[in-house]
Amino acid sequence: VNIPKDPQARIGIFGGTFNPFHVGHMQALQTVKTRGSLSWISIVPTNQNPLKPETEGPTSEQRMEIIKIAIQGQEGFGIDQQELERGGQSFTIDTVSKYAETVSSDRLFLIVGSDQFENFDKWKSFEKILTLANLIVVSRPPASQPNELSDFPEGLRPLVSEIGGQVVALKSGRFIEFVRLRDNDVSASDIRKRIRSGRAVERFLTMEVESYIRQNNIYASLGPKIGDLEKFTEFCGQVLFDKKGITVRGFDLRETDSASEFTLIASGTSTRHTAALAENVMKEVKGEYNVFPQSIEGMAEGRWVLLDYGSLIVHVFYDFVRQEYRLENLWSKGKDLGLVDPNPGPVGHAASGAAGARSTGMSANISTAPSGLRPMAGGADSGSVGGDRSTASRSGSAAQSTSAGATGMKTPNVPNMTNPFDKK
Ligand code: ATP
């Protein structure tokens, strides 16, 4: 990157998946640049996290191109490709260290959204980061600025020396500054969904970025690759049966107001089995159809894994957790495909047709539920079928990467359920 050589220049670093880079990012950066008198801000797109399975979406080149288009004509912004060039998993500490070789720590500023700040103590070498650079935290609704030490992420508390309003001094000599932005509730995942479902995005992307995305068919529906959706659903169902998924059920939701046309649900006997079921679906679908899901959630925990193929959403639960959420009730208006295991094993692992046939009667411990989710209290029917479509919880930690959402810790979240952690 061509960062200014001026020894007084104040330099910002802003990492992210940028899938895609949007006006929320740009507004945040413009505000920070002015308020912090920064001469330069490097935008650092993350590489694909190897711990997180690959998804359908833009290539790294396309993500870069989008940023390039978005910052065209803006003074003092540049793209830094170092994480893409390093390949593998991207760690903020590596990126910041690179800058620290030439920029002194009092002039170096790492910029993150408040959703990322909440998990900052999960990032690799976060203490070290906070000796090499200052941290600027931009507000992102609804997360609010911490007022007292107990509001800080636990791991950061011992590093704080003094809290003075917007600025918090650290024992390292560095500081954390909180910058309140005009509310701009924009998120990349929402933009992707909007584009896929043909809704307007002009409030969230510049015209040039939008037209690049449309011209290159980024975030387009997987429909043409998948072809016959019912067959596709049955194919995935078959993989789940083959891998001993419990109570595999499929629903045709086309006559309902659900966001997806088909849905599949199955469960595993352990979190490992659950993750393995989902992994096998991904592997077989990749082999047969050459597509990855558009998003994957909950794989690391293996309690509720969600594979989003656009028109088909596959939910694989750890069986305990499935009983708590009773998603099948949400789909009662849809048509049950009546999937049957053609080769049922001797132990009766196969679908018996009834929802929760394996219902153990064991009451699931709430702590086994995916983080950011609350089991349904009472009748699940109160949720609309539209609740089938997930939204990624932004409280999912980006843990170690410069970028948001890079560790695959996002967990599924069903919008119509009360979810105290949902930030959308
Ligand atoms: P997602 O929809 O998956 O949450 P995202 O919009 O957060 O994606 P990223 O590229 O993952 O996009 O975010 C990069 C950085 O930008 C993070 O530090 C994030 O907190 C911050 N950020 C993203 N959107 C906003 C926004 N609307 N306002 C302020 N900061 C934001």
Side-chain angles (χ1 to χ4, degrees):
V1 239
N2 278 332
I3 59 169
K5 298 277 181 297
D6 172 4
Q8 299 309 316
R10 292 155 66 87
I11 308 293
I13 303 172
F14 186 55
T17 316
F18 306 127
N19 181 18
F21 191 86
H22 53 67
V23 299
H25 296 130
M26 200 63 220
Q27 280 169 11
L29 293 187
Q30 276 160 340
T31 307
V32 166
K33 190 158 178 288
T34 313
R35 289 232 215 124
S37 307
L38 303 185
S39 325
W40 179 268
I41 294 180
S42 287
I43 300 169
V44 193
T46 186
N47 195 53
Q48 165 70 37
N49 184 340
L51 291 182
K52 192 173 164 183
E54 213 168 323
T55 54
E56 287 292 318
T59 61
S60 305
E61 289 73 28
Q62 288 174 323
R63 279 189 295 143
M64 293 249 304
E65 189 59 29
I66 290 171
I67 304 170
K68 213 182 274 168
I69 296 170
I71 63 174
Q72 210 156 43
Q74 310 263 0
E75 277 292 304
F77 294 96
I79 306 172
D80 176 355
Q81 306 188 41
Q82 63 166 287
E83 292 188 0
L84 298 177
E85 281 162 7
R86 265 202 299 277
Q89 200 169 0
S90 312
F91 294 108
T92 301
I93 181 63
D94 299 335
T95 306
V96 170
S97 300
K98 231 23 265 125
Y99 281 80
E101 288 170 10
T102 51
V103 185
S104 67
S105 58
D106 57 326
R107 295 191 291 110
L108 199 51
F109 301 83
L110 177 68
I111 305 159
V112 299
S114 50
D115 54 314
Q116 295 304 306
F117 176 70
E118 287 179 351
N119 293 301
F120 195 75
D121 59 349
K122 310 278 181 333
W123 292 26
K124 183 180 171 191
S125 309
F126 65 93
E127 296 104 328
K128 179 89 188 291
I129 296 175
L130 293 176
T131 63
L132 298 177
N134 304 291
L135 191 64
I136 297 184
V137 182
V138 293
S139 64
R140 197 176 180 189
S144 58
Q145 185 193 320
N147 290 317
E148 45 196 62
L149 202 57
S150 58
D151 300 334
F152 275 71
E154 211 173 328
L156 290 189
R157 291 176 205 163
L159 311 182
V160 171
S161 84
E162 198 185 336
I163 300 181
Q166 306 294 105
V167 182
V168 171
L170 300 176
K171 290 173 186 157
S172 66
R174 308 279 50 86
F175 61 82
I176 303 175
E177 179 164 0
F178 295 89
V179 174
R180 207 179 142 68
L181 302 176
R182 247 186 317 130
D183 285 352
N184 56 353
D185 202 5
V186 190
S187 79
S189 42
D190 184 44
I191 292 171
R192 296 196 295 272
K193 278 181 204 148
R194 284 175 162 273
I195 294 176
R196 253 184 260 144
S197 56
R199 281 176 292 154
V201 286
E202 73 252 15
R203 279 191 299 129
F204 313 118
L205 301 173
T206 64
M207 238 166 63
E208 292 78 13
V209 166
E210 185 180 347
S211 82
Y212 175 83
I213 287 176
R214 295 208 186 276
Q215 269 163 24
N216 291 279
N217 246 339
I218 300 170
Y219 312 123
S221 129
L222 298 177
K225 279 187 167 175
I226 285 173
D228 183 334
L229 258 172
E230 187 159 347
K231 253 204 178 128
F232 179 64
T233 306
E234 283 165 6
F235 176 85
C236 297
Q238 187 57 51
V239 176
L240 293 166
F241 279 129
D242 288 349
K243 297 295 167 191
K244 312 228 178 307
I246 299 166
T247 321
V248 182
R249 300 185 78 197
F251 295 87
D252 177 347
L253 303 175
R254 284 177 294 189
E255 302 283 301
T256 72
D257 56 359
S258 167
S260 79
E261 294 168 62
F262 283 83
T263 195
L264 264 178
I265 184 166
S267 28
T269 50
S270 64
T271 53
R272 252 172 89 185
H273 183 210
T274 303
L277 284 167
E279 268 159 17
N280 273 291
V281 170
M282 287 198 304
K283 195 175 114 217
E284 297 297 329
V285 167
K286 172 70 181 136
E288 185 73 17
Y289 290 87
N290 196 25
V291 290
F292 290 110
Q294 290 171 312
S295 76
I296 301 156
E297 295 165 23
M299 188 67 92
E301 294 85 359
R303 289 176 297 201
W304 177 355
V305 186
L306 184 151
L307 307 177
D308 182 349
Y309 287 103
S311 307
L312 168 69
I313 312 276
V314 183
H315 299 269
V316 191
F317 280 96
Y318 175 29
D319 199 44
F320 271 120
V321 180
R322 176 174 178 168
Q323 311 310 328
E324 287 294 300
Y325 291 91
R326 288 174 266 156
L327 287 195
E328 286 100 320
N329 294 3
L330 294 176
W331 302 317
S332 56
K333 291 194 197 104
K335 195 175 105 208
D336 191 332
L337 297 177
L339 300 181
V340 183
D341 186 354
N343 304 303
V347 283
H349 65 265
S352 66
R358 256 280 298 235
S359 184
T360 49
M362 292 184 262
S363 89
N365 185 332
I366 288 175
S367 67
T368 65
S371 59
L373 283 163
R374 214 191 251 166
M376 301 199 76
D381 281 324
S382 52
S384 91
V385 240
D388 170 46
R389 177 70 68 172
S390 87
T391 48
S393 158
R394 275 206 298 266
S395 56
S397 154
Q400 302 162 329
S401 160
T402 312
S403 62
T407 52
M409 290 179 66
K410 291 180 174 177
T411 49
N413 156 39
V414 176
N416 289 315
M417 298 179 189
T418 325
N419 176 1
F421 300 103
D422 185 16
K423 299 183 175 188
K424 290 261 149 77

